[in-house]
Amino acid sequence: MGDSKAFLTIPRYEAGYRPVLERITDYSQVEQTLNTHDRKQQASRCMDCGVPFCHWACPVGNKQPEWQDALYRGKWQEAYRILASTCDFPEFTGRICPAPCEKSCVLNLSCDEPVTIRENEAAIVEAAFREGYITPANPVRNGRSVAIIGAGPAGLTVANQLNLKGYSITVFDKAEAPGGLLRFGIPNFKLDKTVIDRRIRLLEQEGIRFVMQTTIDTQQLPHGFDAYCLCTGAEIPRDLPIPGRELKGIHFALDLLAQQNRVLAGQSFGEAERITAKGKRVLVIGGGDTGSDCIGTSIRQGAISVTQIEIMPEPPTHHNPATPWPQWPLIRKTTSSHEEGCTRRWSLASKEFIGKEGHITGVVVEKQAEAPIVEQVVARTKQQPVATTEVIEADLVLLAMGYLKPELSELPAHVFRAGDVATGPSLVVRAMMEGRRVAASINAFLTK
């Protein structure tokens, strides 16, 4: 590294978020950025460890020390070349990845100030687009074709990898635009959709064909392709089949998030089908990132109040002995949406939806016994009730409890799976990792 002791003299400095009272009035990206000088200083904090645990923890195997050093030295094009060698779409991961690399950074262990890896990644790819380092590739075609079913992060990664190897790629998707959950699940205030559009234009210029608003029966795949890859995701949300589930005003999280993103894209919905938190008391059931996205969206729609409940105990705010470094730490996570105004509660199990005239008015919840910290990674079935119930009033309930792993059937040898449809619901960066792995398998199959 150019400055081997920078981590001793330069503290971690994050770009931070736009002011709360400003950002809750719109759906623009909440995260800010640093100037070039500060960004290079943050890159200089990388210690270039003998064992780079950041690389170990990154699902796609990013070579963080190498591109941090190039960034520190002002070699932006070199930094992007190193980054792009392992990550197909750093403009996505640089914005929405939870950054397991940072949690495993040695500086996170030693002083709780890991290198700002995710922000640095986003800065590198944005500079690459801005400075013209990213130009359309012109692969030499090999005469073979592959169909990708699903235009989410896994499907886009498979398409990109195989297209660069010379295959003629067609991507089918039932939605009106590519991106999958990147477009229809993640709010604009976390990932502006112009970032997706920019990448899709580049992929089209490189020869990838997108066929949208086309539902493909996976048992009757379109003819004329040498291989197929199913990247249809994990689309079945986990339900909450308790008394009162039929009441109006109870929705799955993605119903709200996808509709709001479509509204921002210019679509309109009738009053009967519009899901909105305006003027309502909102209860979000589920404590993960999707629940957090529901909070931020509900606040921007004009909710009176927002409460988020989780069946698991409240994790520690800092260190958890059950998940020691360099593992991903199970600790309390506070997102930008939480900062905007939300009541958070833990160890509550939902027992019954109650309503009036067919519409939700509240949820009966039961307190669960607090488990010791070292047991907070155990299954929910080990949580025991303590026979204390209460009613949380709500006019809108959003179910954000994750998705079910798809049931897998046997496939012909020339049909592959990638992403959540194969692994179950996971991170975008893991879907991209799967996409690269399966693309290599398809190439090996077609060239053997």
Side-chain angles (χ1 to χ4, degrees), residues 144-159:
R144 295 181 176 179
S145 61
V146 178
I148 314 294
I149 317 301
L156 293 177
T157 303
V158 175

Side-chain angles (χ1 to χ4, degrees), residues 171-193:
V171 180
F172 298 89
D173 198 285
K174 63 183 179 182
E176 63 271 26
L181 287 181
L182 292 171
R183 184 178 297 276
F184 298 109
I186 297 176
N188 285 24
F189 56 80
K190 288 175 63 176
L191 177 63
D192 193 287
K193 301 310 175 267

Side-chain angles (χ1 to χ4, degrees), residues 385-415:
V386 294
T388 301
T389 63
E390 64 175 292
V391 175
I392 299 178
E393 296 181 338
D395 309 302
L396 175 65
V397 174
L398 301 170
L399 306 180
M401 303 175 297
Y403 295 83
L404 301 176
K405 182 178 180 179
E407 295 184 7
L408 303 181
S409 57
E410 188 174 349
L411 297 174
H414 65 307
V415 181

